[in-house]
Amino acid sequence: MNKIRISTNCEKKDFQKLLLGLSKKTLEDFTYFENITKNNVKKIIVSELKEQKKLRFFIFIDNELIAYSFLAKFPRKTKTHVCTYGIVIGDKWQGKGFGYEICKHMINVAWKKKFEKIWLTAYYDNKSAVKIYQKLGFEIEGIFINEEKICGKPRHVVSMGLFRNNKTIKKTRQKILDTLN
Ligand SMILES: CC(C)(COP(=O)(O)OP(=O)(O)OC[C@H]1O[C@@H](n2cnc3c(N)ncnc32)[C@H](O)[C@@H]1OP(=O)(O)O)[C@@H](O)C(=O)NCCC(=O)NCCS
């Protein structure tokens, strides 16, 4: 397997090439930037690189940028212990185990930065994403029916969480469910 290099920086032209090269299918699973076109890509990149509350990861093989991911802090004081998470891998590099490897690295960074929980959402039918998140220990915290519409079609969303200390999570969740029923 090729060896990846993870950097916190990247040339704008490489970032642009990665984003413009994403297929329709990938953009339907990674809707974070919504529609990426030649006309809006520069604006997307400037705004993304300006974002202060984010740890960015640019993943290279040799000198080619193959993926982008991030951990983002919440602005609210009550949520400073939680970060969110995003990842997109260029199409030709998907399905080769890099997603798992990159996510492992991001999780290590999150715990080093003293976050206590990583929260993310994925479309319910994004099989490879849900599979790697479960393999990494993320638990399903909620299922949101018809949460989003992609090209007019409703799509369900799965909310998942990973806890630095997960010892009491299952019990706590069950207790809450019991009180609600
Ligand atoms: C989702 C994504 C990050 C996964 O990374 P990846 O490098 O492609 O995935 P990996 O190769 O590390 O692992 C994929 C796993 O899913 C499994 N998988 C892939 N397609 C699957 C399917 N249709 N059904 C079941 N499992 C599937 C693979 O077998 C593999 O599991 P294994 O290691 O047990 O064999 C990457 O594909 C991507 O960037 N996709 C587009 C953007 C996106 O969806 N981002 C995430 C938004 S939440």
Side-chain angles (χ1 to χ4, degrees):
M1 195 167 133
N2 297 45
K3 201 169 159 30
I4 58 169
R5 172 173 62 86
I6 301 180
S7 169
T8 50
N9 293 306
C10 152
E11 299 250 354
K12 284 188 184 135
K13 67 171 175 33
D14 292 332
F15 201 6
Q16 187 169 320
K17 191 174 162 208
L18 173 75
L19 295 185
L20 284 178
L22 299 174
S23 69
K24 186 168 173 277
K25 157 88 178 73
T26 291
L27 286 175
E28 280 177 4
D29 285 335
F30 182 76
T31 49
Y32 186 75
F33 294 134
E34 301 196 12
N35 198 21
I36 303 171
T37 66
K38 275 187 185 157
N39 293 332
N40 70 9
V41 71
K42 284 204 170 93
K43 212 170 147 192
I44 289 173
I45 289 174
V46 169
S47 128
E48 184 63 9
L49 296 179
K50 233 179 20 201
E51 183 61 68
Q52 299 283 319
K53 292 194 171 300
K54 227 175 221 176
L55 298 165
R56 286 174 281 268
F57 306 89
F58 295 96
I59 298 91
F60 294 86
I61 287 183
D62 298 327
N63 279 327
E64 183 178 350
L65 180 68
I66 68 146
Y68 170 62
S69 64
F70 61 82
L71 295 172
K73 299 172 198 174
F74 283 94
R76 282 169 56 188
K77 263 195 182 152
T78 55
K79 287 191 69 150
T80 52
H81 62 296
V82 186
C83 62
T84 64
Y85 175 112
I87 180 168
V88 63
I89 301 180
D91 285 71
K92 72 170 177 174
W93 302 101
Q94 292 174 17
K96 298 179 180 348
F98 295 121
Y100 184 79
E101 203 181 333
I102 297 163
C103 291
K104 268 237 159 279
H105 173 81
M106 291 165 71
I107 292 166
N108 285 338
V109 171
W111 298 160
K112 264 191 208 143
K113 296 280 177 191
K114 305 275 183 258
F115 287 109
E116 294 167 26
K117 174 176 179 178
I118 304 171
W119 171 78
L120 60 80
T121 59
Y123 295 109
Y124 79 106
D125 54 352
N126 188 350
K127 298 268 179 353
S128 52
V130 173
K131 176 99 187 267
I132 54 172
Y133 298 147
Q134 283 180 322
K135 230 163 95 175
L136 287 158
F138 280 85
E139 292 177 35
I140 294 175
E141 293 206 289
I143 296 170
F144 297 84
I145 303 298
N146 294 346
E147 179 72 4
E148 293 189 27
K149 280 195 178 175
I150 313 282
C151 304
K153 250 181 81 184
R155 206 158 172 210
H156 317 307
V157 167
V158 181
S159 162
M160 302 179 89
L162 183 72
F163 299 83
R164 190 165 63 178
N165 179 355
N166 69 354
K167 273 187 198 137
T168 57
I169 302 300
K170 275 203 171 75
K171 255 193 193 162
T172 309
R173 186 176 292 127
Q174 194 52 56
K175 261 192 198 163
I176 295 171
L177 282 171
D178 292 345
T179 61
L180 293 175
N181 283 326

